[in-house]
Amino acid sequence: MPFRSLLAAAVLALPLAAVADTPNIVPGQWQFTSTTSVKGDMPIPDQTETHQECIVQGDLDDEEFQLIEEEEGCELLEHNVSADGVDYRMVCRAEGGEANIDGRMAFLGERVEGGVDILTESPMGELEMHTAIDGERIGDC
């Protein structure tokens, strides 16, 4: 996996495995927006991405439910999950680089909000990334 892909994968990894209680998320059509800002030696403009997905009750009842899939090359180090949210820490490695990731997502019924902080060490130098994530239920599927 190229190191640039590692950075993208790290931003998109948001595991929710092993939820003891059903997440406080109302089923329906959801829109998620993530805005990533980067600090480092390389000038990289902020990037915003939006996507939609349908979340049904069966998804929420599934112990393996994930809003966004965990990418290959990433290892979940710690996670605390409840019906109201998830805190996690993970590391992703590829091509001599490493990304340390700390994330938090709050489940607020018809909204979710959170953020991911990523610190990378690579041959290109150190980069700090912050991704703000907002999601909202926009209707029925």
Side-chain angles (χ1 to χ4, degrees):
M1 173 187 300
F3 191 74
R4 268 201 144 144
S5 297
L6 167 70
L7 294 177
V11 170
L12 296 177
L14 181 62
L16 297 177
V19 175
D21 299 319
T22 301
N24 182 18
I25 296 174
V26 177
Q29 187 69 22
W30 281 73
Q31 180 168 294
F32 296 93
T33 302
S34 61
T35 302
T36 302
S37 56
V38 179
K39 294 179 186 176
D41 295 335
M42 298 183 344
I44 300 174
D46 287 359
Q47 296 182 359
T48 299
E49 295 183 11
T50 300
H51 80 277
Q52 291 185 9
E53 65 183 273
C54 177
I55 299 174
V56 298
Q57 187 62 47
D59 295 332
L60 298 172
D61 293 337
D62 185 350
E63 286 183 1
E64 300 300 317
F65 174 69
Q66 295 184 17
L67 288 173
I68 301 171
E69 290 189 29
E70 186 175 340
E71 295 292 325
E72 184 178 332
C74 296
E75 177 186 358
L76 183 62
L77 301 175
E78 178 180 316
H79 70 282
N80 298 304
V81 185
S82 72
D84 295 324
V86 61
D87 291 294
Y88 67 96
R89 192 170 59 84
M90 63 190 315
V91 64
C92 297
R93 296 179 183 92
E95 293 185 11
E98 183 172 288
N100 293 291
I101 302 143
D102 291 301
R104 168 73 180 131
M105 181 67 63
F107 306 145
L108 305 167
E110 293 196 1
R111 293 184 320 106
V112 297
E113 60 184 40
V116 180
D117 292 310
I118 302 169
L119 177 61
T120 65
E121 296 286 342
S122 76
M124 299 181 297
E126 183 177 283
L127 289 176
E128 291 181 44
M129 301 171 65
H130 175 75
T131 301
I133 302 167
D134 292 298
E136 66 179 330
R137 185 180 184 280
I138 56 175
D140 294 330
C141 297

